[in-house]
C-alpha cells in the first residue's frame, strides 16, 4: 500500500498524547542488549495506558529477514542531506500491534551487525536526520519525541535548532533517555558536517567533548527532559566515578531537568508459566518444576547430574559487567578456581571482548563436565538458562538498570549482584531473620566479595534449603512489569506539555 504525503492509516483520538519513540534497536526486530527490551516493551505499555505511540528504528538486515518489505506500507521517501552527500530515506510502516516505522537505506543498514562500523557516525547522523525530517511527512506530528541513547542524540538538537521554523515542530517536546553513558557516540569534526552545523556548535558549551564531538551531549543539552533507567544510576551519573566525563554537566547544569525511572520487563513475553523456550513451565505454585528444568538442561549439555548449585551468567562480555574482577587472584588462586572449589556448576552465555571469550574457553578446558560455555547470542537459550539456574551473577562495575537480574528473579534464579545503579534499586539482600529479600548484594568491586556471596548462597542452598526457596519465592513475587514505570513516563510527558 502506498500512502500519499500526509495520509495515515491510524488516527489519533482527540486530546490523545502522541509520542514518537526512537530507538536504534527494538525487540522483536533487532537486539544487542537491554535497550531493545525497553523499546519493545515500554511503548506497548504506554499504548495500553492510552498514549498514541509509534516507534521508529533502522531497517537493518535482521529486520528485513523477519519483516520483508512487501509486508510493510511505504509511507514516505525523501532525500536526506549529510553535508555534500545526499542519501535516500524510505519510510516503511507496520501499523499493527505497536505501530512501527522503519527507516530504510541499504547502504547504511543492510549489514550483518547493528553497530561497530567505521561509518557509524554517518549512519546514525543519517538515522537522526531522517527521523527528524519524517515528522513533517508522515501525517503524525507527535507531542513528544522520546530519544534513546547516543544513536538518537542529534534529534532534539535538529528539532529545536534547525527545524523550529516549521510550525509542525514548534510544540514538540523532546525526552532523552540514557541507557548507558559509557557509549556516547564521540566522533571527529565530521559530526558537524553530517549534521550541517556551523562552527558555533564546535565549542565546549555545545557539542565539543574532549577534542571530539558528542552525539550524546547533543541529546542531553537540547532535550526538554533527560532521564535514565534507575534513580540510583541518575545520582551516580553526577559523580566523576560513573559520569564518564559528563558528570559535571549533569550535576551542575542539567540537574533541574533530570530524573530516574526504573525499567521493567515484558512480563507476558518473559513468563516461566508460558515461555515456550523452557523444558517445563512453572510458576510460584509449581516451583518444583524448576528443578526439572535444571536436570533437563544438565542432561542436554553434558553437565554432571549431581546435586550441585547451578550458577549462571548471561551477559555482554565486557569490563562493565564485572568480568575484570573474575580475573583477579584471591588466596593465591584464580577467583574462578576458588568459586569452583565450592562444588558449584557454571554456565555462561555471552559474546564480547576477545580477552573474556578466551578466559572462558580456558575455563571450559579446566572444568569440562562442570561448566557449559556458549560464546553466542541466543535469546531462547537465555530463557532456558534463567529457568534452569539456581543463582545468577551480575557483579557489574556499573549498571544503569540491568534486565538480567529482573529476568533471573522472574524465573526463580537468585541474583548475586554488586550494589550499583538499577541492581541496587531492584535486588534486596536476603535477611535470614526476617526472611525478607530477593538475592545477595556486595558493595566493594572485588573478586573476593563475589566469591564470598557465592559461598553464602551455596551454604543456604545446601544447608538451609527452605531459606533458599524463600528467596526464590520472594524474587518471583516481585512485580517487574512496566505498568508503574510507564505511568511515570506519562507523568513526565504531561509535565512537559
Ligand atoms: P545491557 O543492556 O547492558 O547489555 P541488560 O541487563 O540491561 O544489559 O540487558 C541485557 C539483555 O540482553 C537481557 O535481556 C539479557 O537476557 C540479554 N542478553 C545478554 N547477553 C545475551 C546473550 N548472549 N544471548 C541472549 N541474550 C542475552
Amino acid at each position: 500500500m502506498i500512502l500519499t504525503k500526509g495520509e495515515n492509516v491510524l488516527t489519533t483520538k482527540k486530546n490523545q498524547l502522541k509520542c514518537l519513540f526512537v530507538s536504534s534497536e527494538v525487540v522483536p526486530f533487532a537486539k544487542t542488549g537491554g535497550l531493545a527490551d525497553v523499546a519493545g516493551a515500554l511503548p506497548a505499555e504506554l499504548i495500553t495506558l492510552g498514549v498514541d505511540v509509534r516507534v521508529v528504528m533502522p531497517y537493518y538486515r535482521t529486520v528485513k529477514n523477519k519483516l520483508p518489505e512487501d509486508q510493510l506500507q511505504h509511507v514516505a521517501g525523501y532525500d536526506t542531506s549529510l553535508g555534500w552527500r545526499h542519501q535516500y530515506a524510505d519510510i516503511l510502516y507496520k501499523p499493527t500491534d505497536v505501530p512501527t516505522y522503519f527507516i530504510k537505506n541499504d547502504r547504511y543498514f543492510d549489514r550483518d551487525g547493528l553497530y561497530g562500523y567505521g561509518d557509524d557516525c554517518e549512519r546514525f547522523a543519517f538515522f537522526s536526520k531522517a527521523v527528524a525530517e519524517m515528522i513533517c511527512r508522515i501525517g503524525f506530528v507527535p507531542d513528544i519525541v522520546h530519544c534513546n541513547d547516543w544513536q538518537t542524540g542529534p534529534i532534539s538538537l535538529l528539532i529545536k535548532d534547525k527545524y523550529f521554523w516549521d510550525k509542525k515542530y514548534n510544540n514538540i517536546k523532546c525526552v532523552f533517555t540514557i541507557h548507558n553513558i559509557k557509549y556516547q557516540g564521540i566522533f571527529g569534526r565530521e559530526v558537524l558536517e553530517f549534521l550541517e552545523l556551523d562552527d558555533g556548535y564546535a565549542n565546549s558549551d555545545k557539542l565539543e567533548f574532549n577534542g571530539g564531538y558528542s552525539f550524546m551531549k547533543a541529546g542531553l543539552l537540547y532535550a526538554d527532559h533527560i532521564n535514565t533507567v534507575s534513580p540510583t544510576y541518575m545520582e551516580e551519573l553526577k559523580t566523576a566515578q560513573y559520569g564518564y566525563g559528563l558528570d559535571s554537566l549533569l550535576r551542575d547544569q542539567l540537574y533541574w531537568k533530570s530524573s530516574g525511572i526504573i525499567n521493567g520487563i515484558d512480563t507476558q513475553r518473559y513468563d516461566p508459566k508460558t515461555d515456550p523456550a523452557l523444558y517445563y513451565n512453572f510458576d510460584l505454585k509449581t516451583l518444583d518444576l524448576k528443578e526439572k528444568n535444571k536436570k533437563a538442561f544438565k542432561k542436554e549439555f553434558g553437565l554432571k547430574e549431581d546435586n550441585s548449585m547451578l550458577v549462571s551468567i548471561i551477559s555482554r562480555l565486557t569490563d562493565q559487567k564485572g568480568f575484570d574482577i573474575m580475573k583477579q587472584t584471591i588466596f593465591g588462586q584464580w577467583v574462578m578456581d576458588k568459586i569452583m572449589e565450592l562444588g558449584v556448576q557454571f554456565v555462561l552465555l555471552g559474546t564480547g571482548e576477545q580477552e573474556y571469550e578466551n578466559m572462558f574457553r580456558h575455563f571450559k578446558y579446566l572444568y569440562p563436565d562442570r561448566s557449559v560455555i556458549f560464546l553466542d547470542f541466543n535469546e531462547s537459550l537465555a530463557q532456558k538458562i534463567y529457568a534452569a539456574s539456581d543463582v545468577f551473577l551480575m557483579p557489574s562495575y556499573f549498571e544503569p538498570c540491568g534486565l538480567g537480574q529482573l529476568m533471573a528473579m522472574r524465573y526463580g534464579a537468585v541474583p548475586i549482584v554488586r550494589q550499583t545503579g538499577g541492581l541496587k534499586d531492584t535486588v534486596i539482600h536476603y535477611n535470614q531473620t526476617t526472611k525478607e529479600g530477593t538475592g545477595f548484594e556486595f558493595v566493594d568491586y572485588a573478586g573476593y566479595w563475589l566469591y564470598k556471596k557465592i559461598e553464602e548462597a551455596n551454604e543456604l542452598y545446601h544447608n538451609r534449603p527452605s531459606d533458599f526457596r524463600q528467596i526464590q519465592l520472594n524474587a518471583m513475587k516481585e512485580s517487574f512489569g512496566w505498568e508503574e514505570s510507564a505511568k511515570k513516563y506519562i507523568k513526565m510527558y504531561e509535565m512537559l506539555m
Side-chain angles (χ1 to χ4, degrees):
M1 178 180 174
I2 309 260
L3 294 181
T4 54
K5 198 174 155 187
E7 227 183 322
N8 209 329
V9 275
L10 284 178
T11 48
T12 311
K13 288 189 206 116
K14 211 173 162 221
N15 297 330
Q16 197 180 5
L17 191 66
K18 289 175 285 175
C19 172
L20 184 66
F21 192 94
V22 194
S23 176
S24 59
E25 51 184 276
V26 181
V27 162
F29 308 113
K31 167 169 170 174
T32 69
L35 168 62
D37 288 309
V38 175
L42 173 58
E45 191 65 40
L46 292 169
I47 289 172
T48 309
L49 294 172
V51 184
D52 182 359
V53 185
R54 323 260 173 111
V55 174
V56 54
M57 69 175 293
Y59 194 55
Y60 300 112
R61 183 176 296 168
T62 150
V63 185
K64 216 181 225 186
N65 293 340
K66 289 174 189 147
L67 263 184
E69 216 172 321
D70 58 10
Q71 291 179 19
L72 298 167
Q73 298 166 2
H74 184 268
V75 289
Y78 46 90
D79 262 324
T80 293
S81 65
L82 300 159
W84 58 269
R85 177 175 282 157
H86 288 242
Q87 282 294 318
Y88 199 74
D90 267 317
I91 310 299
L92 309 175
Y93 187 47
K94 181 185 81 69
T96 48
D97 303 325
V98 176
T100 305
Y101 297 98
F102 299 97
I103 309 253
K104 177 174 180 257
N105 177 296
D106 285 347
R107 175 193 168 96
Y108 294 133
F109 301 128
D110 188 16
R111 305 183 186 187
D112 283 340
L114 271 53
Y115 321 117
Y117 297 98
D119 59 349
D120 277 357
C121 173
E122 185 175 335
R123 295 169 73 224
F124 290 100
F126 168 79
F127 177 62
S128 294
K129 279 200 112 179
V131 169
E133 290 172 5
M134 78 186 231
I135 289 168
C136 60
R137 294 177 160 96
I138 53 170
F140 177 76
V141 177
D143 303 302
I144 302 285
V145 173
H146 187 155
C147 301
N148 294 277
D149 269 355
W150 73 263
Q151 294 87 347
T152 63
I155 295 173
S156 13
L157 182 156
L158 294 167
I159 290 176
K160 301 284 169 181
D161 261 21
K162 291 281 268 184
Y163 304 127
F164 62 93
W165 48 266
D166 182 332
K167 72 175 186 323
K168 288 202 175 99
Y169 291 83
N170 281 171
N171 293 319
I172 295 178
K173 302 289 185 222
C174 296
V175 170
F176 185 81
T177 301
I178 304 167
H179 294 262
N180 191 332
I181 208 156
K182 189 175 175 187
Y183 306 99
Q184 299 182 3
I186 299 166
F187 304 99
R189 247 191 114 75
E190 68 272 21
V191 169
L192 303 181
E193 185 191 325
F194 291 140
L195 298 175
E196 300 178 323
L197 302 173
D198 60 43
D199 276 355
Y201 291 88
N203 63 51
S204 60
D205 287 346
K206 301 272 171 133
L207 269 53
E208 194 275 332
F209 184 78
N210 288 346
Y213 299 89
S214 164
F215 273 43
M216 182 169 275
K217 202 172 165 197
L220 299 179
L221 287 173
Y222 288 87
D224 296 286
H225 194 85
I226 303 164
N227 84 303
T228 187
V229 288
S230 69
T232 296
Y233 190 53
M234 191 71 243
E235 290 316 303
E236 289 176 347
L237 287 180
K238 296 173 190 161
T239 66
Q241 184 182 3
Y242 295 106
Y244 283 86
L246 290 170
D247 44 295
S248 66
L249 183 69
L250 287 164
R251 186 177 59 243
D252 304 331
Q253 277 185 51
L254 307 178
Y255 62 90
W256 59 274
K257 61 169 187 179
S258 65
S259 62
I261 301 178
I262 199 83
N263 281 337
I265 51 174
D266 182 339
T267 47
Q268 273 187 351
R269 186 180 166 91
Y270 301 115
D271 184 352
K273 199 172 176 184
T274 51
D275 191 335
L278 309 196
Y279 300 99
Y280 299 94
N281 289 110
F282 63 95
D283 61 9
L284 270 169
K285 292 191 202 102
T286 54
L287 186 55
D288 286 340
L289 290 173
K290 184 174 163 66
E291 195 61 27
K292 283 188 149 192
N293 276 290
K294 182 164 81 171
K295 279 209 171 100
F297 181 86
K298 286 185 172 186
K299 193 161 184 205
E300 181 174 352
F301 296 106
L303 283 173
K304 217 168 166 186
E305 291 179 54
D306 54 18
N307 69 342
S308 54
M309 183 172 87
L310 184 60
V311 177
S312 68
I313 299 183
I314 300 166
S315 177
R316 288 184 291 120
L317 301 180
T318 159
D319 286 355
Q320 178 208 327
K321 300 290 182 179
F323 291 104
D324 50 349
I325 61 173
M326 289 180 213
K327 280 190 318 197
Q328 291 174 347
T329 303
I330 50 171
F331 310 119
Q333 260 178 295
W334 184 28
V335 170
M336 295 304 291
D337 283 333
K338 280 301 284 178
I339 291 171
M340 295 310 278
E341 261 184 21
L342 296 169
V344 301
Q345 293 187 342
F346 184 86
V347 47
L348 172 126
L349 169 63
T351 52
E353 289 164 23
Q354 199 64 40
E355 176 186 3
Y356 297 121
E357 293 202 352
N358 287 339
M359 178 168 107
F360 285 108
R361 281 191 186 102
H362 178 64
F363 179 79
K364 172 72 193 166
Y365 166 77
L366 295 177
Y367 300 99
D369 58 350
R370 289 172 56 209
S371 70
V372 199
I373 305 297
F374 304 98
L375 299 175
D376 189 13
F377 193 95
N378 182 328
E379 287 182 64
S380 60
L381 181 57
Q383 302 319 118
K384 233 179 204 182
I385 295 173
Y386 286 122
S389 45
D390 300 301
V391 159
F392 180 77
L393 305 185
M394 224 155 146
S396 307
Y397 177 67
F398 71 91
E399 196 56 71
C401 174
L403 297 179
Q405 85 283 10
L406 301 185
M407 303 256 199
M409 287 193 269
R410 183 139 176 86
Y411 284 70
V414 173
I416 295 182
V417 304
R418 176 163 175 265
Q419 204 182 70
T420 181
L423 298 173
K424 184 175 175 188
D425 293 345
T426 56
V427 177
I428 306 161
H429 193 82
Y430 185 63
N431 180 326
Q432 286 193 36
T433 312
T434 62
K435 310 288 178 212
E436 285 165 355
T438 53
F440 297 89
E441 287 186 293
F442 61 98
V443 179
D444 286 342
Y445 191 61
Y448 172 77
W449 289 110
L450 174 63
Y451 163 73
K452 287 305 277 181
K453 291 297 149 183
I454 298 174
E455 186 184 46
E456 196 176 327
N458 199 41
E459 220 284 304
L460 281 197
Y461 179 80
H462 287 292
N463 302 331
R464 288 168 165 259
S466 64
D467 275 74
F468 194 85
R469 175 167 279 243
Q470 188 62 51
I471 309 177
Q472 289 178 304
L473 293 173
N474 293 350
M476 287 178 78
K477 273 186 204 149
E478 287 280 314
S479 154
F480 297 117
W482 264 107
E483 195 179 341
E484 287 314 306
S485 296
K487 282 182 186 160
K488 289 185 185 158
Y489 273 102
I490 293 175
K491 258 198 179 155
M492 181 211 293
Y493 296 161
E494 286 173 346
M495 178 189 82
L496 297 173
M497 304 301 300

